[in-house]
């Protein structure tokens, strides 16, 4: 019986040494150590042994079982490690390959300019308001002192949706809406940035869609000098402390008096050069004192309240500030153009 056990041990160890597959190894384990395995079969016969032989054979049987178990466990470790190693090799990342460049985006130049202007006016106590881009004829024109037969409506040919609805031609309706919301009871100090639409043929200086920022300040005792002070701060913060402004008389239906604001030319500082077409000044925006009719229509008593308004085009501001000569650049989405300003 001892010889039988030894034979089983040698046979099993030889098979384990030869095997190269975890499944086959498992089969060997079952064949020798399982319930119906050959070692188990031999041990079942121990009952027939004499009481003297039993402990001797029992000890040998245990040694054989341990030897086979250990051989199988060791082999199992070897096979699993080999499998893991193979998998790691297959999945290895070649760190020497050049990486793909990651393009980092940034805000559009117009967005940056608008945010810069917003920050500037928020710093002076203005709130930022928004309004609908599809606007009623009433808020877009009538509430701003432009009745239906007013000739100034021809100046801004519009995209009408219905007879009473149109794509707003300026951001001024937001002012009318805000004043109406405040019911003529409290001061208004706001700017409203947003998209506006006009039936223009696109060229280097015109676009059928562009942006505008309007500002409005209505309170008791607001004067023209307040307007000039605010515009002067705006011009210096936006274009440089060495720039001056001047106001020229102009006409807008919703302000009286109305002015155009120029800033001194960056190149010649007012002497006159080709950039400013010899005038020394560059036109920036329109402004004026809010027309009494506009105040009255919004529920503000023009004998008690007065105010100023201004409107500017962020495209024009950006073009002057960064030397861009074609407004269409803002809308072509050419990344070569746009990414120049990500760090600006
Ligand atoms: Zn100049």
């Amino acid at each position: 019986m001892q010889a039988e056990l030894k034979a089983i041990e040698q046979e099993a160890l030889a098979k384990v040494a030869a095997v190269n597959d975890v499944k086959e190894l498992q089969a060997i384990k079952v064949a020798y150590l399982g319930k119906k395995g050959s070692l188990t079969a031999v041990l079942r016969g121990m009952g027939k042994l004499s009481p003297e032989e039993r402990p001797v054979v029992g000890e040998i049987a245990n040694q054989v079982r341990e030897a086979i178990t250990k051989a199988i466990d060791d082999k199992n470790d070897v096979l699993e490690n080999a499998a893991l190693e193979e998998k790691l090799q297959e999945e290895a990342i070649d760190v020497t390959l050049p990486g793909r460049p990651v393009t980092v985006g940034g805000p559009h130049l117009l967005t940056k300019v608008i945010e810069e202007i917003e920050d500037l006016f928020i710093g002076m106590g203005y709130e930022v308001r928004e309004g609908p881009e599809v606007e009623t004829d009433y808020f877009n024109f009538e509430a701003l002192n432009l009745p239906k037969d007013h000739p100034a409506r021809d100046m801004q040919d519009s995209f009408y949706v219905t007879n009473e609805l149109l794509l707003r031609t300026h951001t001024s309706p937001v002012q009318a809406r805000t004043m109406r919301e405040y019911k003529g009871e409290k001061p208004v100090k706001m700017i409203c940035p947003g998209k506006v639409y006009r039936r223009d043929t696109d060229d280097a200086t015109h676009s059928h869609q562009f942006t505008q920022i309007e500002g409005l300040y209505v309170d008791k005792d607001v004067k023209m000098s307040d307007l000039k002070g605010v515009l002067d701060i705006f011009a210096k913060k936006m274009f440089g402390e060495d720039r001056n402004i001047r106001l020229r008389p102009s006409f807008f239906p919703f302000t009286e008096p109305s002015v155009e604001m120029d800033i001194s030319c960056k190149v010649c500082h007012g002497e006159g050069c080709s950039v400013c077409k010899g005038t020394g000044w560059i036109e920036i925006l329109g402004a004026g004192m809010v027309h009494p009719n506009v105040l009255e229509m919004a529920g503000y008593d023009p004998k008690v309240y007065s105010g100023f308004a201004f409107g500017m085009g962020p495209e024009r501001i950006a073009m002057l500030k960064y030397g861009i000569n074609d407004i269409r650049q803002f809308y072509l989405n050419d990344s070569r153009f746009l990414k120049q300003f990500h760090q600006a």
Side-chain angles (χ1 to χ4, degrees):
M1 196 163 198
Q2 294 174 25
E4 208 179 334
L5 286 168
K6 281 289 169 193
I8 290 173
E9 181 181 1
Q10 280 179 7
E11 191 188 279
L13 293 182
K15 282 190 178 172
V16 169
V19 81
N20 269 317
D21 180 278
V22 178
K23 272 186 188 162
E24 283 174 29
L25 187 65
Q26 209 55 39
I28 295 170
K29 192 175 180 180
V30 172
Y32 287 91
L33 305 177
K35 274 183 192 167
K36 292 174 182 170
S38 41
L39 184 62
T40 317
V42 173
L43 292 175
R44 283 208 183 107
M46 276 181 65
K48 293 172 191 160
L49 294 172
S50 67
E52 296 79 33
E53 279 178 312
R54 226 178 271 164
V56 181
V57 176
E59 198 185 335
I60 295 170
N62 274 336
Q63 286 168 358
V64 169
R65 188 211 304 271
E66 276 168 24
I68 296 174
T69 307
K70 185 172 185 308
I72 290 174
D73 287 350
D74 288 353
K75 186 73 184 205
N76 194 53
D77 286 350
V78 169
L79 292 179
E80 281 186 347
N81 278 336
L84 183 64
E85 191 63 30
E86 195 180 340
K87 204 171 177 203
L88 286 174
Q89 289 286 345
E90 279 172 13
E91 293 174 359
I93 295 166
D94 184 354
V95 293
T96 63
L97 275 175
R100 295 190 189 96
V102 177
T103 311
V104 180
H108 192 283
L109 176 59
L110 269 183
T111 306
K112 291 176 73 153
V113 167
I114 289 170
E115 284 177 355
E116 191 180 343
I117 296 170
E118 282 177 6
D119 286 348
L120 209 160
F121 281 98
I122 288 170
M124 292 192 277
Y126 287 72
E127 62 171 323
V128 178
R129 308 272 303 191
E130 286 180 350
E133 287 176 30
V134 179
E135 187 54 280
T136 62
D137 184 274
Y138 176 81
F139 278 116
N140 195 76
F141 291 125
E142 279 183 58
L144 297 163
N145 205 28
L146 281 154
K148 281 210 161 27
D149 55 350
H150 197 286
R153 285 195 180 199
D154 289 340
M155 283 156 52
Q156 351 178 302
D157 272 354
S158 323
F159 291 111
Y160 272 89
V161 180
T162 67
N163 274 343
E164 289 303 319
L165 282 179
L166 72 159
L167 301 184
R168 67 180 178 192
T169 58
H170 45 190
T171 45
S172 312
V174 185
Q175 302 183 349
R177 286 174 173 277
T178 306
M179 281 195 281
R180 176 159 298 205
E181 189 184 318
Y182 287 7
K183 296 185 175 122
E185 290 163 358
K186 56 178 179 176
V188 182
K189 203 172 182 187
M190 55 160 283
I191 58 165
C192 45
K195 296 190 192 82
V196 300
Y197 306 84
R198 292 190 198 173
R199 287 180 56 187
D200 259 330
T201 306
D202 293 359
D203 61 23
T205 52
H206 295 86
S207 172
H208 65 282
Q209 182 220 298
F210 54 101
T211 60
Q212 211 174 48
I213 295 183
E214 296 235 347
L216 175 71
Y217 177 33
V218 174
D219 203 344
K220 290 166 185 165
D221 209 24
V222 177
K223 298 186 192 72
M224 190 86 182
S225 53
D226 298 318
L227 170 63
K228 192 172 180 187
V230 166
L231 294 180
D232 192 47
I233 291 170
F234 164 74
K236 285 181 161 57
K237 293 274 185 211
M238 210 60 202
F239 294 100
E241 291 293 329
D242 58 338
R243 310 295 281 275
N244 293 316
I245 68 162
R246 74 173 182 187
L247 302 180
R248 282 181 291 110
S250 184
F251 170 79
F252 304 109
F254 25 86
T255 47
E256 179 59 39
S258 302
V259 293
E260 298 269 3
M261 184 194 98
D262 301 336
I263 57 166
S264 53
C265 175
K266 173 170 78 174
V267 179
C268 65
H269 296 282
E271 296 294 312
C273 69
S274 62
V275 172
C276 54
K277 296 185 184 113
T279 63
W281 297 91
I282 292 167
E283 188 185 322
I284 295 284
L285 56 79
M289 301 306 288
V290 182
H291 197 288
N293 288 354
V294 174
L295 287 172
E296 205 161 2
M297 269 188 280
Y300 282 80
D301 182 352
K303 292 189 191 73
V304 180
Y305 282 93
S306 56
F308 62 71
F310 53 85
M312 64 184 92
E315 283 88 347
R316 180 163 177 78
I317 308 274
M319 287 167 87
L320 290 170
K321 192 165 168 161
Y322 296 103
I324 298 158
N325 55 17
D326 193 325
I327 195 171
R328 289 169 291 196
Q329 291 286 7
F330 293 113
Y331 301 108
L332 290 175
N333 270 339
D334 185 337
S335 64
R336 293 168 304 177
F337 169 77
L338 295 173
K339 70 184 177 191
Q340 299 174 84
F341 305 103
H342 285 177
Q343 306 301 325

